[in-house]
Amino acid sequence: NAGVTQTPKFRILKIGQSMTLQCAQDMNHNYMYWYRQDPGMGLKLIYYSVGAGITDKGEVPNGYNVSRSTTEDFPLRLELAAPSQTSVYFCASTPSFEINYGYTFGSGTRLTVV
Amino acid sequence: AQSVTQLDSQVPVFEEAPVELRCNYSSSVSVYLFWYVQYPNQGLQLLLKYLSGSTLVKGINGFEAEFNKSQTSFHLRKPSVHISDTAEYFCAVIRTGTASKLTFGTGTRLQVTL
């Protein structure tokens, strides 16, 4: 089992460029999440999805978009990169709200916007 | 809404000494509580969780935590730390019985030295 796979691991973007952070899980989990981690700030929820075709905003959604066309994939889109989006991005998943399992996290994508 | 406070941003400790990482939460409803560990350049890994039952919860790598409802705390402890325990530790909370989302604290950096 690969778990949660995030690509790329590192990326440098110029201001105004766009990119998609990929997240895939092979555990048939319904719930998927995108968090960003900034030093001293913990993890902030950007978007989440409770199943294919269903997404919703988290705490800090501005500047991002998501889609969930399949159970496995939950890509995060940055349309116009800004320096404030420099961060480490984590994708996570869980089977349902039976949270006995906790969340399974990917290894992260470190993004720098210059 | 729920919130988590980790008062200590950094905790330095000598190897083989005991350690306690503090976590306090705020919620008007019942919650589940978690501790996650993040090793350098890695994703988050579940250490332990409190769902119900015994207030003393044992996790991986010799860590344990105690749920104290009256003090709204969930402190993490280890009687003897090892160099390999050097990492960032996050406390997290989620409402029970709903499809809500994990809310994380800002993290505590545990630095173990010889």
Side-chain angles (χ1 to χ4, degrees):
Chain A
N1 259 352
V4 177
T5 302
Q6 290 185 241
T7 56
K9 293 190 183 302
F10 305 94
R11 184 71 185 269
I12 298 175
L13 277 183
K14 293 184 178 178
I15 295 172
Q17 286 185 322
S18 61
M19 77 163 293
T20 299
L21 282 67
Q22 300 292 345
C23 175
Q25 52 90 7
D26 60 359
M27 299 170 286
N28 202 33
H29 286 179
N30 287 321
Y31 290 59
M32 297 186 74
Y33 308 84
W34 274 106
Y35 286 88
R36 60 176 287 172
Q37 183 183 25
D38 301 299
M41 302 293 289
L43 279 79
K44 301 292 186 184
L45 182 65
I46 306 171
Y47 270 95
Y48 68 101
S49 169
V50 302
I54 307 169
T55 62
D56 207 348
K57 295 177 181 179
E59 192 178 352
V60 290
N62 291 344
Y64 307 95
N65 278 300
V66 294
S67 60
R68 185 95 181 269
S69 56
T70 66
T71 299
E72 294 78 19
D73 299 301
F74 190 41
L76 178 71
R77 179 86 178 159
L78 282 70
E79 291 294 349
L80 290 169
S84 61
Q85 294 177 306
T86 293
S87 188
V88 182
Y89 292 84
F90 288 101
C91 181
S93 72
T94 194
S96 69
F97 64 79
E98 294 173 354
I99 51 151
N100 300 12
Y101 301 99
Y103 287 10
T104 300
F105 282 85
S107 57
T109 294
R110 186 175 295 274
L111 175 67
T112 302
V113 182
V114 297
Chain B
Q2 299 73 241
S3 66
V4 176
T5 301
Q6 292 181 249
L7 289 172
D8 305 306
S9 59
Q10 295 187 65
V11 173
V13 64
F14 290 112
E15 192 175 36
E16 298 184 4
V19 70
E20 178 179 86
L21 306 184
R22 296 182 293 168
C23 172
N24 287 89
Y25 70 94
S26 174
S27 177
S28 58
V29 298
S30 295
V31 295
Y32 297 141
L33 293 152
F34 299 78
W35 276 99
Y36 282 84
V37 59
Q38 184 182 31
Y39 299 105
N41 299 315
Q42 295 187 25
L44 279 72
Q45 178 182 351
L46 182 65
L47 257 185
L48 49 78
K49 56 183 181 274
Y50 173 76
L51 305 179
S52 64
S54 173
T55 57
L56 183 62
V57 180
K58 294 189 184 298
I60 62 173
N61 301 339
F63 283 93
E64 62 181 33
E66 185 156 19
F67 172 61
N68 188 318
K69 189 174 182 180
S70 62
Q71 297 187 5
T72 60
S73 67
F74 190 56
H75 301 333
L76 181 70
R77 302 184 182 99
K78 186 170 183 178
S80 176
V81 296
H82 190 267
I83 289 283
S84 60
D85 293 322
T86 294
E88 189 96 20
Y89 292 80
F90 292 94
C91 184
V93 64
I94 191 170
R95 285 175 58 187
T96 63
T98 68
S100 60
K101 287 72 65 183
L102 273 178
T103 299
F104 287 86
T106 52
T108 298
R109 169 80 176 162
L110 176 63
Q111 183 67 51
V112 182
T113 55
L114 295 172

